[in-house]
Amino acid sequence: MSQPAPPLPAPPLALLAELTHRCPLACPYCSNPLTLERAANELTTDVWRRVLSEAAKLGVLQVHFSGGEPLIRKDLEALIAHAASCGLYTNLITSGMALSEARARALADAGLDHAQLSLQDTDAAGADLFAGSKDTLAKKTASAAMLRAAGLPLTLNAVMHRGNLHHLEAMIGMALRLGAGRLEVAHAQYYGWALRNRAALMPSRAQIDRASEIVAAARARLSGRLVIDYVPPDYYAARPKACMGGWGRRFLNVDPVGRVLPCHAATTIAELVFENVTEKPLAEIWANSAAFNRFRGAGWMPEPCRSCERKELDWGGCRCQALALTGDAAATDPACALSPQHDEMFAAAQAESAAPAPEFIYRRMDGA
Amino acid sequence: MNAAGIEASGRPALARGVKMRFDEARQQWILNAPERVLVLDEIAHAVLSRCNGEISINELCRELALEFAAPQEIIQADVLEMMSEMLHKGYISL
């Protein structure tokens, strides 16, 4: 007798479309992999159009155009227009470094629903230091004004770490001044480049506690004016975050060369083989790819996850972090206090945050 | 003003960057907002599909009272509470 086919997974909600790894900035906590893809290997406009159509048909509701810097792609407007024609909610994740008034208007005219602009610091010297570039703050504040003038709703994304957390209040003030409706206060997440730079970025427990207080007070004070999303750093947490809302549950990422990933850091897990949109339909990859099924649901979990009552809340935390810190992608995420490695992780974070910060290793095309 | 901190004379609209649509794949109404998707039940859909910036919460509740054959005072209390939460989370503007 043949086995019944396994049930299809629920469709994904969001697609992260990483159009390119090219970027004018060199942030030492970049979420791109350590090995970056060159322009010659990037997917063509036609393939991206097909991916967007397939994503919408599969049940994706939102597409995030990201990179690298997606503005570097000259077909960005065409891809936004195509996504909008498929009914997708379109979000642009940008550094804002190469924006012009005409381009901002073209993005809005193409049907862009929302823009998310990164901000490295509220202080010009700090912003340049953390972006590994020049004149970043002035260019970014000008870009914010261009996006707003084009009628686009704006989120500021502020990656926070030991070097800029003392400017959190100023960051909230800047979000208001720039007309953002939303601010993401996102502590650096330590994979890839940020893991390389962990000692230079890791805040102290006292800095985290102060940041949490500032966010709580600002949320109450600015209710109805500014939405603040807060992503705490899990090194100091007792329970892991539900990374990506669970592996292969809500989210997929197509990288610049077409690989389909369950998260943007998944290529760090060398045991996984990722399928490519140039070879298979997106729906087939979502449902059947061994990489997606490897950690989907709760069946793969070891103890103490397997018998944990929170296993379908946090979905075992982050696989990339488990690999980076324990050497085993299937281990309990050390962010969880029930992990045997948790105390070691916490102690390492405290020691690094108390020691002088080393120099940054900047994100470069030729690797760290 | 009332306990929810919102005037019933206010004219709510979906906030900039927030869009309502029917999600064919899951057969439900949703709100798309920056980095968030909110699933709407029948009542939430009935309320939010009237948030066009032109009709007041008062008028909106009068329509709902007729549509759902329920007392307007009870509907209004629920709607004001919902509006307060939606405003705080950035889904609507007033």
Side-chain angles (χ1 to χ4, degrees):
Chain A
M1 267 185 25
S2 63
Q3 294 284 321
L8 282 177
L13 286 167
L15 166 68
L16 180 68
E18 289 182 325
L19 300 182
T20 180
H21 280 158
R22 291 174 285 160
C23 187
L25 302 186
C27 307
Y29 44 71
C30 180
S31 64
N32 287 159
L34 296 175
T35 306
L36 298 165
E37 298 289 347
R38 299 192 174 276
N41 301 332
E42 290 174 8
L43 294 182
T44 63
T45 308
D46 281 347
V47 173
W48 272 117
R49 279 203 192 99
R50 175 169 61 73
V51 168
L52 293 164
S53 297
E54 289 183 8
K57 205 170 161 209
L58 178 58
V60 166
L61 299 171
Q62 301 201 346
V63 58
H64 306 284
F65 291 103
S66 181
E69 173 50 66
L71 288 169
I72 288 176
R73 290 273 303 215
K74 294 189 168 56
D75 56 0
L76 179 61
E77 288 87 338
L79 296 178
I80 289 169
H82 185 78
S85 77
C86 297
L88 292 166
Y89 184 91
T90 55
N91 179 30
L92 174 66
I93 299 175
T94 180
S95 69
M97 288 295 287
L99 193 66
S100 64
E101 284 176 24
R103 192 94 199 263
R105 277 195 303 273
L107 294 168
D109 290 345
L112 183 64
D113 287 310
H114 174 262
Q116 176 184 313
L117 180 70
S118 66
L119 209 58
Q120 281 68 16
D121 201 351
T122 54
D123 166 81
D128 285 353
L129 175 67
F130 304 134
S133 187
K134 294 228 161 47
D135 298 326
T136 56
L137 186 61
K139 286 180 183 163
K140 282 161 177 282
T141 51
S143 291
M146 292 173 199
L147 292 165
R148 295 289 299 111
L152 290 164
L154 179 68
T155 288
L156 284 192
N157 172 272
V159 174
M160 305 306 290
H161 48 82
R162 66 185 286 180
N164 66 2
L165 269 167
H166 60 292
H167 289 154
L168 179 53
E169 281 286 12
M171 190 65 85
I172 293 165
M174 186 166 275
L176 289 170
R177 272 200 309 286
L178 295 178
R182 190 165 161 274
L183 171 66
E184 285 185 358
V185 177
H187 284 283
Q189 303 283 318
Y190 297 102
Y191 328 110
W193 293 96
L195 187 60
R196 284 286 163 94
N197 285 293
R198 196 177 72 181
L201 297 167
M202 184 63 72
S204 68
R205 185 60 186 256
Q207 279 185 298
I208 302 288
D209 291 346
R210 180 74 191 117
S212 301
E213 286 168 18
I214 288 172
V215 168
R219 276 179 174 160
R221 186 172 77 241
L222 301 172
S223 179
R225 291 176 63 200
L226 182 70
V227 173
I228 304 178
D229 277 18
Y230 185 56
V231 183
D234 52 8
Y235 273 60
Y236 291 114
R239 290 287 177 267
K241 63 181 179 295
C243 197
M244 313 319 295
W247 184 274
R249 269 189 82 242
R250 316 177 63 147
F251 179 89
L252 51 83
N253 178 17
V254 177
D255 82 358
V257 298
R259 283 179 299 186
V260 188
L261 314 173
C263 83
H264 52 261
T267 52
T268 58
I269 306 178
E271 68 171 273
L272 300 178
V273 178
F274 299 103
E275 304 199 65
N276 196 297
V277 292
T278 56
E279 288 157 10
K280 281 186 183 171
L282 202 60
E284 191 181 326
I285 296 173
W286 174 255
N288 301 326
S289 153
F292 275 87
N293 285 324
R294 176 68 181 86
F295 299 116
R296 187 174 256 151
W300 59 272
M301 289 180 184
E303 291 294 356
C305 306
R306 182 185 293 268
S307 55
C308 180
E309 63 182 20
R310 291 182 54 83
K311 71 179 175 186
E312 293 192 345
L313 295 174
D314 58 39
W315 301 99
C318 173
R319 296 303 88 222
C320 304
Q321 181 151 282
L323 174 73
L325 299 181
T326 76
D328 177 7
T332 296
D333 183 346
C336 182
L338 300 173
S339 158
Q341 283 92 358
H342 180 77
D343 291 347
E344 196 184 314
M345 170 176 172
F346 183 83
Q350 283 199 309
E352 286 176 0
S353 72
E359 299 266 304
F360 288 129
I361 300 163
Y362 286 106
R363 170 211 201 267
R364 298 286 179 218
M365 286 308 278
D366 50 5
Chain B
M1 294 283 268
N2 55 75
I6 288 186
E7 304 275 2
S9 59
R11 297 173 193 277
L14 294 185
R16 268 180 298 113
V18 177
K19 291 167 100 176
M20 185 185 295
R21 65 167 270 198
F22 189 70
D23 171 5
E24 290 289 343
R26 301 166 190 81
Q27 291 294 301
Q28 61 193 5
W29 283 94
I30 59 136
L31 281 190
N32 266 317
E35 299 276 345
R36 286 172 296 174
V37 172
L38 186 70
V39 176
L40 305 179
D41 62 18
E42 186 191 357
I43 303 287
H45 177 248
V47 173
L48 291 166
S49 59
R50 288 171 165 83
C51 290
N52 57 8
E54 288 169 17
I55 75 166
S56 68
I57 294 176
N58 254 327
E59 290 159 341
L60 185 156
C61 292
R62 196 173 308 133
E63 286 185 19
L64 291 179
L66 288 172
E67 182 174 330
F68 291 96
Q72 189 177 337
E73 312 81 69
I74 292 176
I75 285 182
Q76 189 143 322
D78 288 349
V79 167
L80 286 169
E81 195 180 321
M82 177 183 162
M83 289 286 135
S84 172
E85 193 187 332
M86 300 289 282
L87 183 66
H88 178 66
K89 292 184 175 166
Y91 290 112
I92 62 161
S93 56
L94 265 171

